[in-house]
Amino acid sequence: MSSISLHNKQFAPYLPAAEITTAVQELGARLNADYADKQPLFVAVLNGSFMFAADLMKEMHVPCEIAFIRVASYEGTSTTGEVKEILGLREEIEGRHIVILEDIVDTGHTMRALLQTLRAKQPASLEVATLFIKPECLQHELDIRYIGLSIPNEFIVGYGLDYDGLGRNFPDVYKAF
């Protein structure tokens, strides 16, 4: 892993792909155990969670489905604080076991709004599985049961996360410097 340049920013190596793979496998094992008899619907939040969702689905050994939604709250390297739903969920979720798949939870604005919207549709259960969480950034109290890696407040790219559209394709994760 060597440093990369995206737009006008430099990024240093942070987390190798092997560490991410281990975190995804551990999440998969927990979800398989917890949803063994429930046939969950995984709701992946695009665009950032696409790699995480794909790799996690490969770890799932229980009957399950996946759907995709798209929300946005970022511009550049900072959150706008405003959540905009771009592409909505078409599947009926009432009475179903739902697991939201998110790449990263930092302020919690997006996740709070998403949980509120989905709870109104009366699922049987509603949980969040996030690959990354930044505890020191959280501005909302969220009960997130499935966390891959807890990280400090660093702006990261790679493994689906981007900086203004670039960097999602890297298997490793890099942090801004």
Side-chain angles (χ1 to χ4, degrees):
M1 287 176 61
S2 58
S3 295
I4 59 172
S5 177
L6 301 172
H7 296 295
N8 59 343
K9 283 201 162 307
Q10 298 298 312
F11 295 85
Y14 184 55
L15 295 167
E19 191 171 337
I20 297 164
T21 297
T22 298
V24 173
Q25 289 170 339
E26 290 170 358
L27 284 171
R30 287 184 57 208
L31 287 160
N32 279 316
D34 292 351
Y35 287 88
D37 59 348
K38 295 185 174 130
Q39 194 170 325
L41 171 63
F42 291 95
V43 177
V45 181
L46 296 174
N47 287 342
S49 75
F50 79 98
M51 279 191 177
F52 171 49
D55 287 346
L56 184 65
M57 288 297 98
K58 294 174 198 171
E59 299 297 323
M60 297 309 302
H61 306 296
V62 299
C64 61
E65 296 175 64
I66 189 165
F68 300 89
I69 59 171
R70 190 169 176 187
V71 296
S73 65
Y74 260 81
E75 287 179 9
T77 62
S78 58
T79 182
T80 63
E82 179 183 339
V83 176
K84 304 168 188 162
E85 186 171 341
I86 299 170
L87 175 66
L89 182 65
R90 295 190 177 156
E91 286 75 7
E92 178 59 49
I93 68 168
E94 183 176 344
R96 299 203 55 194
H97 297 282
I98 308 300
V99 180
I100 300 169
L101 301 180
E102 180 67 291
D103 56 348
I104 190 166
V105 175
D106 46 30
T107 63
H109 294 312
T110 301
M111 191 52 59
R112 187 186 82 176
L114 190 51
L115 286 166
Q116 187 176 34
T117 299
L118 294 180
R119 275 191 193 109
K121 298 178 184 288
Q122 302 178 349
S125 67
L126 181 60
E127 297 290 346
V128 176
T130 185
L131 181 56
F132 300 109
I133 191 166
K134 295 180 183 179
E136 63 193 62
C137 294
L138 282 174
Q139 296 177 16
H140 305 280
E141 193 165 321
L142 298 171
D143 181 23
I144 300 179
R145 188 169 179 187
Y146 303 98
I147 298 170
L149 298 163
S150 190
I151 62 171
N153 187 17
E154 304 276 359
F155 184 77
I156 59 174
V157 298
Y159 196 75
L161 292 100
D162 74 306
Y163 171 44
D164 282 344
L166 296 180
R168 293 187 194 279
N169 56 303
F170 296 106
D172 304 300
V173 171
Y174 297 80
K175 66 179 180 177
F177 68 90

